[in-house]
């Protein structure tokens, strides 16, 4: 099968960047986050120069967005609540402030997989279904958004990689919500999480910023449409009934099992993931941001990532951009490291960044075109 590129006039991608990880260290797919395992990418807290990395990426690579993962437990200091711990939140805000000082957009990402302190295959830890209530989750986002409500370059990433979420009928059976005509579809429960979070963020006063809506199956771009995530999230609206700045949040890796745990890349994802997703987005007037992608620092990933970014740029009316995984507090020998190396006088990028992901190399992003 040959996939044709849409014949629209070329326009560059709006965003390119990288995750600045560390506040999420200790978080697992079961929603457990061991706070003591966090390694904040803030020099004053850990010796990791996250600000130096971000300034380098902006000034030398043309990046203009950073994703800042953090565990829910870190922000509330191990309390299943929406109330922020003043000290912990202040620590995290140091990273956000560093990010904003570069002039880039900065995404707040709750890195809990739609869970809180459970087992990866156990649904009782899921938000709103045995785990924290939807009201608590909405309170968390209300408090976060209240702090940055007047900062136009803050992006709100509702939740990192939900997975194994039951369908909408489970909510009806548990009495969480009632069914009406518009819900008579086989849709995902993640809809309700995102809907309540969007309302909370907007009611906190953050009425214009982007909000990223994640789907099921680790918000995989490949299954975003086929799983029903796209249809479910397409129904989420702002309180005024619009979907302005409600952006689909998708991830996609290039290794053989899409896990992002192997150095070698085997696909550009165009036929299986990006073509069906962009087709749906365009047909429904929606947009998506690829907030995690990457591979090892090997030639196969340089080639396939370049092809993926090229296709995304050809679809820039519906794909806003990409963020690599990951820089920040990772060791430089981490299999998917995009951590630049400081040589005493300057920063040296990894192979994948320098040869494929840097806008200064691919010239496909608005920040450098």
């Amino acid at each position: 099968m040959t996939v044709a590129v849409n014949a629209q006039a070329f326009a560059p991608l709006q965003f390119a960047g990288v995750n600045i990880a560390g506040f999420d260290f200790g978080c697992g797919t079961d929603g457990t986050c061991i706070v003591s395992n966090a390694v904040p990418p803030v020099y004053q807290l850990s010796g990791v120069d996250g600000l130096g990395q971000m300034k380098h990426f902006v000034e030398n690579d043309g990046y203009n967005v950073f994703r800042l993962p953090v565990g829910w437990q870190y922000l509330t200091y191990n309390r299943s609540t929406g109330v922020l711990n003043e000290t912990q939140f202040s620590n995290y805000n140091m990273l956000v402030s560093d990010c904003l000082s570069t002039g880039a957009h900065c995404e707040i990402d709750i890195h809990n997989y739609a869970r809180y302190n459970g087992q990866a295959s156990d649904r009782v830890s899921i938000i709103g279904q045995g785990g924290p209530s939807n009201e608590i989750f909405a309170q968390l986002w209300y408090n976060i958004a209240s702090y940055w409500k007047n900062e136009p370059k803050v992006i709100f990433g509702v939740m990192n990689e939900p997975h194994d979420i039951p369908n909408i009928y489970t909510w009806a059976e548990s009495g969480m919500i009632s069914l009406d005509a518009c819900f008579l579809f086989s849709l995902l429960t993640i809809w309700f999480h995102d809907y309540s979070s969007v309302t909370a963020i907007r009611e906190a006063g953050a009425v214009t910023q982007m909000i990223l809506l994640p789907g099921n199956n680790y918000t995989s771009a490949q299954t975003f449409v086929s799983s029903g995530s796209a249809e479910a999230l397409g129904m989420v609206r702002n309180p005024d009934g619009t979907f302005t700045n409600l952006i689909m949040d998708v991830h996609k890796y290039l290794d053989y099992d899409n896990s992002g745990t192997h150095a070698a890349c085997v696909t550009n994802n165009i036929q299986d993931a990006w073509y069906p997703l962009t087709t749906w987005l365009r047909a429904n007037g929606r947009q998506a941001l690829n907030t995690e992608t990457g591979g090892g620092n090997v030639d196969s990933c340089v080639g396939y990532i370049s092809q993926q970014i090229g296709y995304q740029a050809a679809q820039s009316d519906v794909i806003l951009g990409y963020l690599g995984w990951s820089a920040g507090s990772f060791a430089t020998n981490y299999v998917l490291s995009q951590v630049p190396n400081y040589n005493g006088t300057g920063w040296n990028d990894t192979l994948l960044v320098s040869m494929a992901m840097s806008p200064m190399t691919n010239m496909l992003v608005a920040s450098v075109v």
Side-chain angles (χ1 to χ4, degrees):
M1 175 181 174
T2 300
V3 176
V5 173
N6 187 51
Q8 63 165 338
F10 173 77
L13 293 164
Q14 292 184 40
F15 296 110
V18 67
N19 284 259
I20 305 295
F23 276 106
D24 58 308
F25 285 10
C27 292
T29 59
D30 60 355
T32 296
C33 293
I34 302 171
V35 172
S36 60
N37 285 358
V39 183
V42 176
Y43 189 81
Q44 300 93 312
L45 299 177
S46 70
V48 176
D49 191 3
L51 175 58
Q53 291 183 32
M54 289 186 285
K55 290 174 70 174
H56 156 71
F57 283 130
V58 169
E59 295 169 3
N60 301 123
D61 289 306
Y63 281 169
N64 60 4
V65 63
F66 298 104
R67 184 173 183 248
L68 313 176
V70 63
W72 183 345
Q73 290 90 332
Y74 188 93
L75 294 177
T76 62
Y77 206 50
N78 284 322
R79 295 184 63 201
S80 178
T81 177
V83 178
L84 301 169
N85 178 277
E86 184 176 351
T87 299
Q88 300 295 100
F89 184 71
S90 177
N91 288 345
Y92 180 66
N93 186 41
M94 293 173 72
L95 179 62
V96 180
S97 297
D98 283 347
C99 178
L100 290 169
S101 75
T102 70
H105 281 72
C106 308
E107 179 194 341
I108 313 303
D109 162 52
I110 303 299
H111 214 76
N112 277 70
Y113 303 87
R115 286 162 167 73
Y116 191 100
N117 286 356
Q119 298 178 8
S121 60
D122 184 2
R123 293 178 175 177
V124 299
S125 61
I126 294 173
I127 298 165
Q129 189 169 322
S133 68
N134 290 306
E135 291 76 16
I136 288 175
F137 189 54
Q139 180 189 36
L140 176 71
W141 271 113
Y142 183 91
N143 289 332
I144 291 172
S146 294
Y147 192 85
W148 288 297
K149 64 184 179 182
N150 296 319
E151 178 46 69
K153 288 193 173 182
V154 165
I155 300 169
F156 301 107
V158 168
M159 177 58 63
N160 177 68
E161 295 190 345
H163 63 90
D164 299 293
I165 304 297
N167 67 40
I168 199 71
Y169 295 105
T170 305
W171 288 102
E173 292 167 0
S174 66
M176 290 289 184
I177 60 173
S178 61
L179 285 174
D180 60 33
C182 71
F183 290 130
L184 294 179
F185 305 96
S186 183
L187 302 178
L188 304 174
T189 52
I190 197 63
W191 175 89
F192 196 75
H193 302 150
D194 289 346
Y195 185 82
S196 60
S197 303
V198 165
T199 300
I201 291 167
R202 296 304 189 215
E203 290 184 347
V207 296
T208 61
Q209 293 94 327
M210 292 170 55
I211 300 176
L212 304 183
L213 308 178
N216 203 4
N217 196 25
Y218 300 90
T219 202
S220 168
Q222 184 166 340
T223 61
F224 204 79
V225 176
S226 62
S227 69
S229 293
E231 184 178 7
L233 296 175
M235 299 169 65
V236 176
R237 293 291 188 271
N238 291 306
D240 65 3
T242 69
F243 52 76
T244 304
N245 281 334
L246 301 184
I247 309 299
M248 305 303 174
D249 184 0
V250 295
H251 293 178
K252 196 71 182 78
Y253 289 95
L254 294 86
D255 49 358
Y256 76 91
D257 61 357
N258 187 42
S259 65
T261 60
H262 307 93
C265 295
V266 300
T267 177
N268 58 25
N269 291 315
I270 293 172
Q271 178 174 312
D272 294 335
W274 299 113
Y275 177 72
L277 177 62
T278 56
T279 299
W280 184 90
L281 291 169
R282 194 168 291 115
N284 289 274
R286 304 305 295 266
Q287 294 176 314
L289 181 63
N290 180 196
T291 59
E292 281 190 28
T293 192
N297 289 293
V298 295
D299 289 343
S300 63
C301 292
V302 170
Y304 282 124
I305 283 277
S306 296
Q307 293 169 25
Q308 175 177 278
I309 293 172
Y311 185 83
Q312 290 174 332
Q315 317 298 317
S316 62
D317 59 319
V318 293
I319 300 293
L320 297 181
Y322 60 88
L323 290 91
W325 181 271
S326 176
S329 297
F330 278 109
T332 55
N333 64 354
Y334 166 55
V335 65
L336 298 190
S337 175
Q338 296 183 22
V339 179
N341 179 58
Y342 187 68
N343 62 19
T345 58
W347 298 86
N348 297 318
D349 281 320
T350 62
L351 176 70
L352 189 62
V353 171
S354 64
M355 297 299 291
M357 302 195 76
S358 170
M360 294 295 267
T361 297
N362 60 49
M363 299 302 292
L364 294 173
V365 184
S367 57
V368 300
V369 176

